[in-house]
Amino acid sequence: MPELPEVEIVKKSLKKNVKDKKILDVIVINRNLRFKVDKDFEKILKNRKIQNVNRYAKNIIVELNGNIYVIIHLGMTGTFHLIRNNILKNTNLSFYQSKDLPIKHNHIVLIFKKFRVIYNDPRRFGFFKLLKDKESFKLYLKNIGYEPLDKNFNLKYLKKSIQFRKKCIKSILLDQKIISGIGNIYANEILFRSGLNPRKKGLKLKNFELKYLYKYSKLVLKKAILKGGSSIRDFRNTEGAKGSFQDNFKVYDKDNHNCPNKKCNYKIKKIKISNRSTFYCENCQK
DNA sequence: CCGTTAACCTGAGAGC
DNA sequence: TGCTCTCAGGTTAACG
């Protein structure tokens, strides 16, 4: 479920706890995630030191000594739990789940000296991808479109990736190969703020509309990160802080609510675009 | 090459 | 209670 802002929060919590720590052991309980966990995953990670934890779009990048990279994607329901030795109370690293370690769907356990980190994922849409050299890591990133917070994400990039496409702008925003990091919530929110109808075709967008898209995709994601992400269910990060961007939703899950634009008396509509729920105001978004 | 659809999974909640 | 149906913050193989 997490999109760029939520993955950023998870990454920060993870980084704070595991950077410069050595992985003493690895247990894979279930290899059948979106991609099968590599056969030598345990062997390669064991006794390696975590040099850094980064993020690009919705991918968490764990950098280990010896040019080993682990790309972690949380899919729809992936969460991390950090459990300190000899302390019964669990510390949750994740969004969207209870503070306690779930009983079912724990798939991967990383054991450190003073704690262990457990990956839980009921639907198993997430993955752990092992990349064994810098080249394959670079290649992996190359196949992802720029995220709105990337310095290369600019008007020129938007023009060349949007203005010739027949598909609708919402599908473009959700296509990680074109623009990465945006998911269903933020696509809806960005389009409302940009005054763009989600069904509008990419090639119909005018330059001034691309400028709005540029502005609001950055702005919405940044603000969501500042607010600690969005959440519909309970969650805590390691500081016990809650995300609150859900209070700033203007259209997502607001069908039949009044349009937030005070000068408008229309109701927010709910439609489906390529099987994803889409919320918009037909008066404010042209 | 392009765009759309079905499929991958489990669990929560609504309606009966 | 329990059954069936729909929906969920994601991605991608397969198809036309």
Side-chain angles (χ1 to χ4, degrees):
Chain A
M1 301 182 183
E3 305 179 35
L4 187 152
E6 292 75 36
V7 178
E8 174 65 18
I9 304 302
V10 174
K11 181 219 79 183
K12 275 184 193 159
S13 296
L14 202 57
K15 181 172 180 168
K16 192 183 154 194
N17 286 283
V18 306
K19 189 175 186 286
D20 298 324
K21 302 278 193 324
K22 191 173 160 187
I23 300 170
L24 299 183
D25 209 353
V26 180
I27 301 164
V28 180
I29 299 160
N30 186 354
R31 311 194 91 79
N32 297 310
L33 302 183
R34 162 166 285 280
F35 306 119
K36 207 149 192 131
V37 178
D38 301 67
K39 285 191 202 74
D40 50 0
F41 183 81
E42 296 95 318
K43 205 175 87 185
I44 298 217
L45 261 64
K46 191 172 173 170
N47 290 323
R48 233 173 255 275
K49 191 171 157 189
I50 294 178
Q51 290 183 327
N52 214 343
V53 184
N54 291 306
R55 178 196 60 73
Y56 196 83
K58 300 175 194 172
N59 302 277
I60 295 171
I61 301 155
V62 180
E63 198 181 321
L64 299 146
N65 67 295
N67 283 322
I68 298 288
Y69 299 86
V70 181
I71 310 282
I72 302 167
H73 197 294
L74 304 173
M76 292 279 258
T77 50
T79 54
F80 281 108
H81 292 258
L82 186 146
I83 298 165
R84 292 181 197 287
N85 296 350
N86 309 318
I87 293 180
L88 290 173
K89 202 178 148 205
N90 294 344
T91 309
N92 194 358
L93 283 176
S94 65
F95 265 44
Y96 320 119
Q97 275 204 357
S98 72
K99 282 186 284 180
D100 304 316
L101 179 68
I103 296 161
K104 293 166 80 175
H105 310 299
N106 295 316
H107 305 310
I108 293 179
V109 186
L110 301 177
I111 297 169
F112 297 85
K113 193 176 176 187
K114 292 182 179 166
F115 58 87
R116 59 191 196 282
V117 171
I118 300 178
Y119 178 71
N120 182 280
D121 189 353
R123 293 177 76 180
R124 284 183 277 124
F125 288 169
F127 63 79
F128 280 57
K129 201 178 190 66
L130 185 61
L131 300 174
K132 296 170 191 170
D133 54 78
K134 212 162 199 161
E135 286 65 41
S136 34
F137 168 63
K138 280 183 177 168
L139 188 67
Y140 181 87
L141 287 186
K142 222 181 157 184
N143 288 319
I144 301 170
Y146 289 139
E147 63 167 46
L149 304 183
D150 193 306
K151 62 178 179 350
N152 294 309
F153 182 89
N154 53 34
L155 215 55
K156 195 180 159 193
Y157 179 70
L158 281 182
K159 272 176 87 81
K160 84 169 170 67
S161 40
I162 293 177
Q163 270 182 337
F164 73 97
R165 284 176 197 273
K166 270 190 183 166
K167 67 175 169 181
C168 71
I169 187 61
K170 178 156 188 251
S171 298
I172 292 174
L173 289 185
L174 290 178
D175 189 332
Q176 305 297 304
K177 287 193 169 63
I178 305 172
I179 295 167
S180 63
I182 296 171
N184 203 33
I185 287 180
Y186 296 106
N188 280 297
E189 294 297 315
I190 290 165
L191 288 172
F192 175 79
R193 286 165 173 82
S194 303
L196 286 170
N197 189 307
R199 281 217 168 99
K200 191 161 190 165
K201 305 217 180 292
L203 46 77
K204 295 258 182 185
L205 265 70
K206 304 273 194 302
N207 285 347
F208 79 93
E209 293 175 315
L210 291 179
K211 278 186 192 166
Y212 282 130
L213 214 50
Y214 170 80
K215 178 182 168 187
Y216 287 107
S217 51
K218 278 177 176 291
L219 205 138
V220 167
L221 295 180
K222 276 186 191 167
K223 190 170 176 185
I225 292 171
L226 284 176
K227 297 269 176 178
S230 306
S231 163
I232 290 153
R233 300 182 200 164
D234 288 347
F235 70 86
R236 304 274 164 174
N237 67 15
T238 38
E239 277 77 47
K242 286 184 183 179
S244 65
F245 193 74
Q246 64 276 11
D247 302 335
N248 296 76
F249 289 172
K250 292 195 187 287
V251 288
Y252 182 78
D253 210 18
K254 301 275 190 194
D255 44 320
N256 289 323
H257 285 59
N258 291 328
C259 172
N261 180 357
K262 288 192 178 75
K263 292 174 190 161
C264 174
N265 57 359
Y266 282 62
K267 302 261 186 217
I268 299 302
K269 259 186 131 177
K270 179 179 180 177
I271 57 168
K272 289 269 182 190
I273 293 178
S274 42
N275 230 20
R276 308 296 302 275
S277 288
T278 304
F279 305 87
Y280 75 111
C281 171
E282 53 186 334
N283 184 40
C284 298
Q285 295 173 257
K286 300 288 185 188

